[in-house]
Amino acid sequence: MQSINSEKASQPLRLIQITDCHLGPRPGEQLLGMDTDESLLDVLSRLKQREQKADYVIATGDITSNAHIDAYERFLGYMQQYYPLPLAWLSGNHDLDTVMRRFPSDRVQREYIELEHWQLILLDSSVPGHEHGDITPEELQRLEDCLQGCAKPALVFVHHQPVPVGCTWIDQYVIRSSEALLEIIDRHDQVKGLVWGHVHQAFEGLRGEVPLWATPSTCIQFKPRMVDFALDDTMPGYRWFDLYPDGRIETGVERIAEKAYGIDFASSGY
């Protein structure tokens, strides 16, 4: 059980989402020409400047490029040095959940966080050795149990997109069990949003009255509404959420200032 300062009880909880950092085993490694350590530190610098009153950070997967333990250690070190807030993470398709579980809960949380007025539910959609997403029956049951056991407003996080975002090439990796996931959400009015990473772009949609949000990567960005792979020239960023005690949510995307990264825009894939 996490708590927030009682003097903020009537104020919104400020939640930060970062995603798809793709850190390599050593500092300075590149993804399609972008130094992913550099871009993550640029995002953390922006957070340090703009989000001094935030309460919590959720990292929604692809923390690393190849699940090297040194990359996870470096990520946690960066967070502690530049933006030392309570932190939770979940696995992406470039991660290994077995490696991430080596890190103790006093350094990084996972799966479930109950706050004073909210519950945050983190689901594992990674399938080892595959790009696509899926959620096991056991994970879906855990979601059902969380929602049945707590009436607080809930925000649900996952790595892969549960619905198509309009990019043909990446929508082939949509969560295979997405209908089962969405049916659970349909049954529980306290779910106030479903959030993911993976698609390296901002996205907003609706499932009935439940908002759906995707968040830009802290490194390269994928160009929206494309049939084939294409990189965008928008900057790395993050998403913020204000979670009000009455269940209302406000959210937005912030990006770093324009910068000349050495991105290979001619690339046909990553």
Side-chain angles (χ1 to χ4, degrees):
M1 178 77 165
Q2 302 287 332
S3 62
I4 58 177
N5 194 313
S6 58
E7 70 183 19
K8 296 182 64 179
S10 63
Q11 299 298 313
L13 177 86
R14 186 74 162 193
L15 182 68
I16 302 297
Q17 180 199 5
I18 59 174
T19 194
D20 295 87
C21 306
H22 289 275
L23 298 184
R26 293 168 296 278
E29 295 196 21
Q30 297 182 350
L31 178 63
L32 301 183
M34 176 176 274
D35 181 329
T36 55
D37 284 72
E38 179 185 5
S39 61
L40 173 59
L41 292 178
D42 288 340
V43 170
L44 293 180
S45 294
R46 179 80 169 187
L47 285 166
K48 189 174 182 179
Q49 295 167 0
R50 298 288 296 269
E51 303 290 350
Q52 295 180 354
K53 296 183 179 180
D55 298 285
Y56 221 104
V57 179
I58 307 291
T60 50
D62 282 0
I63 310 298
T64 69
S65 61
N66 59 4
H68 198 287
I69 194 166
D70 290 348
Y72 293 116
E73 185 65 57
R74 199 163 73 256
F75 172 80
L76 293 177
Y78 287 155
M79 297 302 300
Q80 181 61 35
Q81 180 179 357
Y82 290 93
Y83 202 58
L85 292 181
L87 172 70
W89 65 14
L90 54 77
S91 300
N93 50 289
H94 287 273
D95 294 311
L96 273 180
D97 194 63
T98 53
V99 177
M100 296 173 75
R101 287 183 179 276
R102 298 183 193 179
F103 294 91
S105 60
D106 62 348
R107 297 189 68 188
V108 59
Q109 296 286 319
R110 54 186 308 117
E111 295 184 350
Y112 185 77
I113 302 133
E114 185 178 346
L115 300 161
E116 185 173 3
H117 301 291
W118 281 79
Q119 55 179 322
L120 310 177
I121 305 170
L122 285 65
L123 301 176
D124 183 2
S125 65
S126 64
V127 182
H130 295 275
E131 292 288 321
H132 72 265
D134 202 2
I135 302 178
T136 65
E138 292 78 15
E139 276 287 270
L140 292 171
Q141 186 60 54
R142 182 170 68 83
L143 172 62
E144 184 81 60
D145 292 344
C146 289
L147 294 172
Q148 289 182 350
C150 182
K152 293 178 181 179
L155 196 56
V156 179
F157 293 87
V158 70
H159 177 68
H160 293 81
Q161 70 268 43
V163 299
V165 299
C167 280
T168 306
W169 70 271
I170 201 168
D171 282 335
Q172 64 184 305
Y173 304 129
V174 71
I175 295 171
R176 299 286 172 85
S177 55
S178 61
E179 277 307 309
L181 167 64
L182 295 170
E183 287 171 4
I184 294 172
I185 288 172
D186 290 344
R187 293 197 296 270
H188 294 277
D189 292 340
Q190 76 263 46
V191 177
K192 304 303 181 183
L194 177 58
V195 188
W196 63 90
H198 187 61
V199 297
H200 290 236
Q201 60 190 269
F203 172 87
E204 295 185 5
L206 283 172
R207 168 76 176 194
E209 297 183 356
V210 177
L212 309 173
W213 292 294
T215 295
S217 166
T218 67
C219 62
I220 57 170
Q221 309 299 303
F222 298 153
K223 196 168 185 178
R225 298 177 296 279
M226 298 297 292
V227 173
D228 298 316
F229 177 92
L231 293 175
D232 203 3
D233 60 2
T234 53
M235 291 292 101
Y238 64 90
R239 182 179 287 279
W240 58 266
F241 297 91
D242 279 345
L243 309 182
Y244 287 84
D246 62 3
R248 289 181 297 119
I249 297 180
E250 295 177 354
T251 186
V253 166
E254 292 283 343
R255 298 181 187 270
I256 66 166
E258 293 293 324
K259 184 173 180 177
Y261 292 105
I263 301 170
D264 180 10
F265 288 102
S267 176
S268 60
Y270 81 116

